[in-house]
Amino acid sequence: MLSYQRFGAAQGERPILLAHGLFGSGRNWGAIAKRLAQARPVTTVDMRNHGSSFRAPTQSYEEMAADLADVIRDHDGPMDVLGHSMGGKAAMALALTEPERVARLIVGDIAPVSYSHSHSGYIAAMRALDLSSVTRRSEADRALRESIDDAAQRAFLLQSLQVTDGRAVWLLNLDALDAAMPQILDFPTFSTSFDRPALFVSGSESAYVTAEHRPAIRALFPAARFVAIKGAGHWLHADNPNAFVEVVAGFLGR
C-alpha cells in the first residue's frame, strides 16, 4: 500500500484524499492539508515510485488508481479525492474505474488528454547529479543550475532529495519514471463516465487546461465545473494557496 499521512480529526466531515503530481510527494501538500484539515480529515499519499512509497517497475494510471483505491478502502471510504497533475490523472482514472470510492472529485490543472511535452530532461539532470559529492541541498542546487535554470523548478525537485548525515539520495525511482514517461503524459481510454460532482481547477497562467480540453473533460465528467485561479501557474496550490484552499473548501462545502 502507498505510504500516507493523516491530518485533522478522525471524525467529522467526509475525508479528503490528496494525490500529488510527478516528482512530488505528500509532503509537498502539508500546508494545504493542514488548512483543509481544520474542517475535515485529510490524507496525503506518496504515489508509487515517489517519496516513502513502494518502488515498482511500472507507473500506469490504472495501477495508480488501484493504489489510491487501496488507501480509500483502508479508510472505510468513500472519500473526496483531490489530485494535481499526474495525481489528477490518477484521481480521474480512479473515478472512472471505481466510482464508488469517490464522492466528489477535484482535479488540479490537468485534463484527461495526452500532452506532447516531456519531463525526461529533468530526470536526466537528476541522474547526472553526483550524489557522492552532495552533503546539503544547496550544493545540489548549485550543481543543477547548468541543466535547470528555473530556480523554482530546482527547488521543487530538490524537495525529493533526502540528505541524511552527509549522504544524498533521490526519493524517486528515476528509472521507472523515465521508462513510463509516455504513459504518464498520455491518458487511458475509458468507456465509462463519472457523473458525480467534479471540479477542475486550473491556473490562469497555465496552458495545461484550455477551452479546447473541455469537451474531452465533459465527455467523461458530465457534471464538471471549472474554476481558474488568477495569477497561478501549473503549481497553483503553491502559487496562490489562499485562493486554492478557498475554491476547494467552497466546492466541498456545497
Side-chain angles (χ1 to χ4, degrees):
M1 182 180 292
L2 300 179
S3 174
Y4 63 80
Q5 183 176 4
R6 288 174 169 173
F7 297 82
Q11 299 179 348
E13 297 290 336
R14 183 184 295 112
I16 307 171
L17 179 67
L18 302 187
H20 64 80
L22 182 63
F23 305 137
S25 71
R27 184 174 58 181
N28 301 152
W29 285 84
I32 296 295
K34 289 175 183 177
R35 293 182 62 176
L36 292 174
Q38 295 175 14
R40 62 187 68 238
V42 178
T43 295
T44 61
V45 301
D46 287 350
M47 302 294 279
R48 61 169 55 206
N49 293 317
H50 293 74
S52 299
S53 280
F54 62 88
R55 296 326 189 217
T58 53
Q59 191 83 21
S60 74
Y61 284 112
E62 292 90 345
E63 291 168 323
M64 286 187 271
D67 294 341
L68 295 177
D70 284 342
V71 175
I72 293 175
R73 277 190 287 269
D74 199 45
H75 285 65
D76 299 321
M79 299 175 75
D80 295 327
V81 180
L82 189 166
H84 172 251
S85 198
M86 180 191 75
K89 283 188 170 182
M92 286 188 277
L94 171 64
L96 293 166
T97 55
E98 299 192 49
E100 69 278 8
R101 309 289 178 198
V102 183
R104 289 170 291 192
L105 175 69
I106 303 174
V107 179
D109 208 57
I110 203 74
V113 300
S114 178
Y115 291 87
S116 59
H117 62 268
S118 176
H119 298 294
S120 292
Y122 295 135
I123 293 179
M126 286 186 279
R127 277 175 168 164
L129 182 65
D130 181 8
L131 296 180
S132 66
S133 65
V134 173
T135 59
R136 54 178 61 91
R137 282 184 180 174
S138 58
E139 295 171 348
D141 181 67
R142 286 194 296 271
L144 287 173
R145 287 176 188 172
E146 293 183 7
S147 52
I148 303 174
D149 58 6
D150 187 328
Q153 182 64 52
R154 290 197 309 274
F156 170 69
L157 295 176
L158 287 171
Q159 290 183 57
S160 290
L161 181 69
Q162 182 182 72
V163 182
T164 306
D165 297 327
R167 181 176 180 271
V169 60
W170 289 110
L171 298 179
L172 300 164
N173 185 346
L174 296 176
D175 291 342
L177 295 175
D178 195 24
M181 192 60 65
Q183 287 178 292
I184 293 171
L185 296 174
D186 202 359
F187 191 73
T189 299
F190 293 97
S191 59
T192 57
S193 63
F194 179 81
D195 58 4
R196 292 181 184 149
L199 178 67
F200 285 74
V201 188
S202 59
S204 65
E205 306 306 307
S206 172
Y208 274 75
V209 181
T210 67
E212 288 73 22
H213 293 145
R214 291 196 176 189
I217 293 172
R218 285 205 167 99
L220 296 173
F221 305 96
R225 300 169 61 92
F226 299 89
V227 173
I229 294 182
K230 185 177 295 186
H234 183 57
W235 285 278
L236 63 176
H237 57 291
D239 294 339
N240 195 337
N242 291 335
F244 183 79
V245 169
E246 182 179 352
V247 166
V248 170
F251 174 72
L252 295 178
R254 293 184 189 277

